[in-house]
Amino acid sequence: MSTGMRRPHELDYEAIERLFPPPPEYFETTFFEEPDTIARKQLLRLQDRAQRAWQVPFFRKRWEAAGFHPDQLRTLDDLWRAPAYTVDDIRTSINENPPLGDYQSIGLEDARNEPMRLYVSGGTTGRSRPTLYTAWDREVGAITMARALYAEGIRPGDVVVNAWAYSTHNGAHAFDEALYRWLNCVVLTTGTGNVTSTRKQVELAHEYGAAAILTTGDYMLKMAETAVEMGLDPKADFNIRALPGGHIGDAERVKEVWGVTPAQPYGFHEVQNVSIECPLRNGQLHIFEDCFVVQIVDPETGEQVPDGTQGALVITEIYKTGSPQFRYNIMDLSFLYPPGQCECGSWLRRMGPFAGRGDNMVKLRGVNVWPEAIGEVISDVPGVTEDFFCRAVRAGNRDEMIVMVASDAPADEFGGVAERVEDRIKEVMSVRMTAEVVGPGELDGLTGMGTAAKLVRFKDERP
């Protein structure tokens, strides 16, 4: 019996489009709303989101301990009274309440009543971080993604190559849903070069006149190299006019090779797109304030910092019905511009582009890597001691990670140890890294062994 089961088409699409206009309507209406209208809408949605988050054990426990209650939210500034949380708090929640943690407002059993999706992020240390999305969450999230893609130059009817990894991570699927459901684009679902060869992806982009390729900047440069090897000119022989994605790497080099200026959106796994670069391409990102409240804090203290000061992003979403993100300190670095009207005419708050991490996370070819977690990943590889050190470098137009490990094996076996380390990292973390093996004690100068209160495990050597 299907009694009580809601089909995807039964979702209230009229309400979704009224509350969260998709493109191009968004850029003709909500994008130009007055500050008072924006603030009034934000406060109402924030108050509603807080009341529903109060029912979630993870938030209720933290809020009660901090003396905060949703009824205290009388102005947007009152949001500062709620405690923030980080990925470490989520990991603790998952370990204590596996597999979903106690931070979701829905459970797997709710899929009997409405369509639902589960995506996971991380997992490089301990359990992966799951997020359950209701059908409403997926659609509104797809609209925010569609807004960003539209602003970056993609138009209805375009052919788009989606070269992100279709996996347990949200990324490729979020792009796909936005393109197909809200922009009427034809999506070529190539996935990464491990699924569809780079040569084949270049052939498809050329043959079908793709207007955009969604991937990292590093892979765009790899595709350009392959195109040249095939006798094709990336600028003259392709129809590329948009390079969205957000992880563009060497933007100037990509622009030089493809003749297209990459855009700078910002978003992350749990919430899709938070902001988009101004149409004037001035490096300022307009925040989707009908969906988010963005704050900036000191990465060390968690205290508010003045506008214009770089700090860690704290994100509160105000559009979802499922898993809440309420004052989530994502530890990505940026800053807020002072309130005011942009030259483009929009009053939306503006933030700076992603400026790195407040911790040591490195994004390697679209995969989030925490260097400290690598030690756990390789700990049981034969011949490896507990001593390791990671270096992020720029080589061959892309970011690379070199993992240096100390081994107690004979020196003539170091090559085999390195191969085993590389294979284990690839197996667990889904990204290839280079391993360098040294003898015991040879990493002490890098890690501070014997001299530092806390061992150093990572150095960013990228220019």
Side-chain angles (χ1 to χ4, degrees), residues 19 45 137 168 178 219 225-226 272 289 319 370 408 422:
L19 295 170
R45 294 180 182 181
D137 298 346
T168 56
Y219 194 60
E225 292 174 0
T226 302
Q272 273 84 293
E289 291 195 282
Y319 76 87
W370 279 267
D408 53 10
E422 292 173 356

Side-chain angles (χ1 to χ4, degrees), residues 18 41 107-108 112 196 207 217 269 338 401 448:
R18 183 181 70 254
K41 183 185 299 183
L108 297 175
R112 301 189 188 101
T196 306
E207 182 177 5
H269 167 80
M401 183 81 81

Side-chain angles (χ1 to χ4, degrees), residues 240-311:
I240 303 299
R241 52 182 163 77
L243 291 176
H247 309 297
I248 213 66
D250 191 344
E252 287 302 315
R253 177 62 178 156
V254 172
K255 178 181 179 181
E256 176 187 342
V257 170
W258 285 96
V260 178
T261 301
Q264 299 187 79
Y266 175 74
F268 56 93
H269 167 80
E270 288 89 350
V271 300
Q272 273 84 293
N273 257 83
V274 174
S275 59
I276 52 169
E277 187 174 2
C278 176
L280 299 180
R281 290 291 189 270
N282 54 16
Q284 301 177 22
L285 279 62
H286 291 281
I287 298 165
F288 294 135
E289 291 195 282
D290 57 340
C291 297
F292 300 98
V293 179
V294 175
Q295 301 169 308
I296 305 288
V297 301
D298 184 293
E300 297 294 327
T301 67
E303 296 298 318
Q304 181 178 4
V305 300
D307 290 340
T309 302
Q310 182 172 281

Side-chain angles (χ1 to χ4, degrees), residues 8 21 59 66 73 99 111 211 216 220 232 244 259 263 265 286-287 293 299 307 309 352 396 401 403 413 416 460:
F59 291 99
L73 284 173
T216 65
M220 284 301 302
L232 298 171
H286 291 281
I287 298 165
V293 179
D307 290 340
T309 302
M401 183 81 81
V403 180
E413 296 180 11
D460 192 341

